[in-house]
Amino acid sequence: MAHVKKKESKPWQSAGREAVARLVVRNTIPPRCFVALYDRDGVESIGLDDASRRLGVERRRIYDIVNVLESVGILARKAKNRYSWIGFGGVPMALRELKERALREKSGLAPLPAEELSAANMSDDEDDDKLGDPEAEREGEKLSQTVDNPSDMPDAPPCRLRSDHRKEKSLGLLTQNFVKLFLTMEQVSTISLDEAAKFLLGEGHEESNMRTKVRRLYDIANVLSSLKLIEKTQVDTRKPAFRWLGMAGKPKAENGVTIVASPARKTLSNKRVFGTELTNIGINRSQLEPTTQKKAKLAQGGADILKSYNVAAQKQPGQVNKSGFVYGPFHPSCARKQEPDDCNNVGQRAIAHDWESLADSFRPQYQNPDDEKSITLSLQMLISDRKILVVDCAGNRNYSMTTYLAEVTA
DNA sequence: TAGTCCCGCCACCCG
DNA sequence: CGGGTGGCGGGACTA
């Protein structure tokens, strides 16, 4: 549709804008901040307004992030302005689903049941609920935004061309297609955004389309990088490429304890040799279907994807009852006001695995100044699946940092 | 200078 | 018509 935009340059956008001014105007957050905010116990429902307010960014930015997160199974849309948090437990199944679909697309097999609903046949709501739980799906019927057959003629063909066009260019679908590229390429371990754009755009694309697509891929890649699903590598001096990490980017020891990576080595220690991850399947990239054909096949809702694990993923074993913890001497009101890209104080579990950094940056305020002397935060962190226990130097008082951070960011 | 990505306009859709 | 959503591309910034 390529609407024509005539945007006047804002004064603060002019070439003479100072760097300081840009810092003030800057209105984005790293996606990891979003995840850091919500990836913990007790988070089940996410409001976009709430996210926008708590992260201090404009709503528009939230849309981009949640669309990508939804595409990889971390979020599920429940209703307008509301998402349910699935967490990283939802990623493996979402990836499996994507992989399976990519395989079927490649082999020309009949689509999965959910795929039989092409984007053209699917209402927005079905699409929205593709990652949702059964509860949300039932709710979806009430929230239906169907655009099918808006006319009064029962036999009239559905009129949805524009929405289809919009949908097929959606960031969510682009994310899934981008991920599928990783899941189906074999002979190369990395892919540049230019390459990805060419695959996703197909032949005969204009330069402007390419630029736009690459812009969007940057957006997506940044989110996926923050999730540690991919990592940026430098193929040559200028052209970066991205390598698939998959769930390998989320190290877990066999006993289920999250491995702590130090800030200095985390970018390396979290790596996994490409080609060994479960999600990397062997398909020659050259065998990828023509993009036009692929688009049609990819335009599916996948309403069955996460139904089964959605709820289960939110309640993982090994969790400690939150009520079993008591607050330490910290005052929960120590606000999380730091640099926009500093999310450590919001608490992270699976994205950064950077607990040491978290400990370093954690600066609690003490209700009683004497406590600061008596309680040295050695921050031994006993990490269960979703809990961090902060043990004081005496070793006899445990505080739930997760609980604490929940309060801080509330 | 190419790569990166912030930023917000505005089209689209629905109630 | 208003509000939610999000595609899109200009252009500032960075390496």
Side-chain angles (χ1 to χ4, degrees):
Chain A
M1 97 197 63
H3 65 276
V4 179
K5 183 175 68 176
K6 297 188 172 45
K7 184 175 68 175
E8 292 183 4
S9 214
K10 303 293 181 296
W12 45 266
Q13 287 181 317
S14 64
R17 181 171 49 170
E18 297 180 1
V20 173
R22 177 163 180 85
L23 270 181
V24 173
V25 173
R26 176 188 167 97
N27 196 17
T28 62
I29 54 166
R32 62 191 173 92
C33 290
F34 183 93
V35 180
L37 180 59
Y38 290 107
D39 187 30
R40 58 167 177 265
D41 275 355
V43 174
E44 293 182 356
S45 183
I46 296 174
L48 297 186
D49 288 321
D50 174 68
S52 174
R53 189 181 63 254
R54 292 168 72 171
L55 292 167
V57 301
E58 70 176 45
R59 193 186 173 86
R60 175 68 192 85
R61 308 277 76 79
I62 303 295
Y63 288 130
D64 290 339
I65 296 174
V66 297
N67 280 334
V68 175
L69 296 185
E70 185 183 16
S71 297
V72 294
I74 293 177
L75 288 178
R77 185 169 185 181
K78 288 171 59 181
K80 182 166 67 176
N81 196 26
R82 187 137 299 270
Y83 284 76
S84 59
W85 180 261
I86 296 172
F88 287 90
V91 174
M93 189 171 291
L95 294 181
R96 269 198 301 275
E97 185 72 20
L98 285 175
K99 181 180 70 177
E100 186 173 345
R101 285 181 178 158
L103 276 171
R104 300 178 81 88
E105 289 158 11
K106 182 264 171 188
S107 60
L109 292 175
L112 293 171
E115 287 183 288
E116 291 170 0
L117 293 170
S118 70
N121 286 328
M122 192 187 321
S123 72
D124 282 348
D125 201 44
E126 286 167 318
D127 189 38
D128 292 343
D129 285 334
K130 65 188 173 186
L131 303 175
D133 56 27
E135 189 69 32
E137 193 173 39
R138 283 191 296 275
E139 184 182 0
E141 294 177 7
K142 295 179 291 186
L143 300 167
S144 175
Q145 300 174 346
T146 179
V147 293
D148 285 359
N149 194 8
S151 73
D152 293 327
M153 300 175 61
D155 295 328
C159 177
R160 31 179 139 73
L161 292 177
R162 282 191 298 190
S163 63
D164 288 350
H165 185 73
R166 194 172 169 85
K167 191 192 298 284
E168 81 178 19
K169 292 189 173 187
S170 71
L171 204 66
L173 192 56
L174 184 58
T175 300
Q176 294 189 339
N177 290 343
F178 185 50
V179 169
K180 283 178 179 177
L181 282 183
F182 285 108
L183 298 182
T184 56
M185 64 186 191
E186 180 188 48
Q187 294 179 350
V188 294
S189 61
T190 63
I191 186 170
S192 72
L193 298 187
D194 281 347
E195 289 175 308
K198 284 173 186 165
F199 277 118
L200 298 174
L201 266 178
E203 308 301 326
H205 49 269
E206 297 177 7
E207 183 60 29
S208 61
N209 289 340
M210 275 290 295
R211 273 202 306 273
T212 296
K213 191 66 72 179
V214 169
R215 282 193 188 103
R216 299 291 79 78
L217 289 175
Y218 274 122
D219 297 338
I220 294 168
N222 283 336
V223 177
L224 296 180
S225 295
S226 295
L227 300 175
K228 296 259 190 284
L229 289 177
I230 62 175
E231 68 168 353
K232 183 189 279 187
T233 62
Q234 208 72 25
V235 169
D236 54 49
T237 52
R238 296 292 294 187
K239 282 284 181 189
F242 287 88
R243 180 197 311 273
W244 180 252
L245 296 177
M247 292 306 288
K250 320 196 168 319
K252 283 241 173 185
E254 288 184 2
N255 60 3
V257 174
T258 302
I259 297 172
V260 177
S262 72
R265 62 178 182 272
K266 65 178 180 182
T267 55
L268 293 176
S269 61
N270 287 347
K271 307 287 185 293
R272 177 174 174 174
V273 177
F274 185 81
T276 62
E277 57 267 50
L278 296 173
T279 50
N280 186 28
I281 55 181
I283 296 181
N284 191 326
R285 257 177 56 193
S286 64
Q287 297 173 343
L288 288 175
E289 295 179 347
T291 300
T292 50
Q293 185 180 354
K294 184 165 68 177
K295 275 184 176 178
K297 292 187 175 182
L298 292 177
Q300 30 69 26
D304 59 330
I305 298 178
L306 301 179
K307 289 176 185 172
S308 58
Y309 71 84
N310 179 34
V311 175
Q314 297 183 41
K315 298 298 178 187
Q316 301 176 11
Q319 291 182 19
V320 182
N321 187 346
K322 187 194 299 186
S323 61
F325 297 97
V326 294
Y327 286 115
F330 326 133
H331 195 297
S333 66
C334 74
R336 43 160 296 279
K337 274 297 179 186
Q338 297 185 14
E339 290 301 314
D341 58 349
D342 181 2
C343 306
N344 287 339
N345 54 345
V346 196
Q348 304 180 63
R349 180 171 57 96
I351 36 168
H353 323 289
D354 194 1
W355 302 113
E356 294 177 7
S357 173
L358 175 71
D360 288 341
S361 63
F362 188 59
R363 295 290 180 269
Q365 295 177 352
Y366 294 84
Q367 291 176 319
N368 180 356
D370 290 336
D371 285 335
E372 187 167 3
K373 302 174 185 174
S374 60
I375 300 180
T376 302
L377 286 180
S378 60
L379 292 183
Q380 290 181 345
M381 296 182 178
L382 310 178
I383 303 172
S384 66
D385 191 31
R386 299 193 72 166
K387 284 289 184 185
I388 317 167
L389 303 183
V390 181
V391 184
D392 66 23
C393 57
N396 55 4
R397 297 174 68 180
N398 296 337
Y399 309 110
S400 164
M401 182 174 283
T402 302
T403 304
Y404 170 71
L405 291 171
E407 279 294 324
V408 168
T409 55

